[in-house]
Amino acid sequence: MACHHEAVAGKDEEAPEMTASVEAYRAYKQADEDALKLRFRARASLGATILRERRELGATQDQAAEKLGVVTEQVRRYERAYRSWQKEYPDEPLGD
């Protein structure tokens, strides 16, 4: 039976530089952060739009939820995301 395994450095052996792998990992982590912020921005923008439209039309959160096909708690979360965005990124308006 053949035995396949990765080479494992001993305790006293120094790991190779692996510069390309380290850079690729940093790029991956940055992309992950960027994606999270992109989703946060979109959720906050939706929350801002819901709040604005509810004010303009005199709609309740329940009515907004019904129109969006979500539960009322989800509408609250969208609106909360907008408020959180304002606090966390006060210099980055959403265009609301």
Side-chain angles (χ1 to χ4, degrees):
M1 175 180 346
C3 182
H4 300 287
H5 61 81
E6 297 285 327
V8 178
K11 286 183 184 179
D12 299 330
E13 291 181 54
E14 192 170 317
E17 287 296 314
M18 299 185 69
T19 309
S21 295
V22 171
E23 285 302 314
Y25 180 73
R26 285 185 186 135
Y28 162 76
K29 294 303 282 181
Q30 185 62 54
D32 199 33
E33 281 184 39
D34 294 347
L36 287 172
K37 186 174 179 183
L38 182 66
R39 288 194 63 206
F40 183 21
R41 176 186 276 278
R43 193 170 39 251
S45 182
L46 173 57
T49 302
I50 292 169
L51 275 169
R52 184 182 62 247
E53 204 162 45
R54 284 197 323 104
R55 282 189 206 117
E56 290 172 1
L57 301 174
T60 65
Q61 287 179 332
D62 290 332
Q63 291 168 326
E66 183 180 337
K67 286 294 182 184
L68 295 173
V70 298
V71 296
T72 304
E73 179 56 31
Q74 190 61 53
V75 168
R76 288 186 193 106
R77 288 182 190 142
Y78 294 142
E79 292 177 355
R80 197 172 321 129
Y82 170 61
R83 291 182 190 101
S84 294
W85 179 272
Q86 288 179 307
K87 289 177 186 172
E88 197 166 329
Y89 300 101
D91 297 330
E92 291 187 48
L94 296 168
D96 48 294

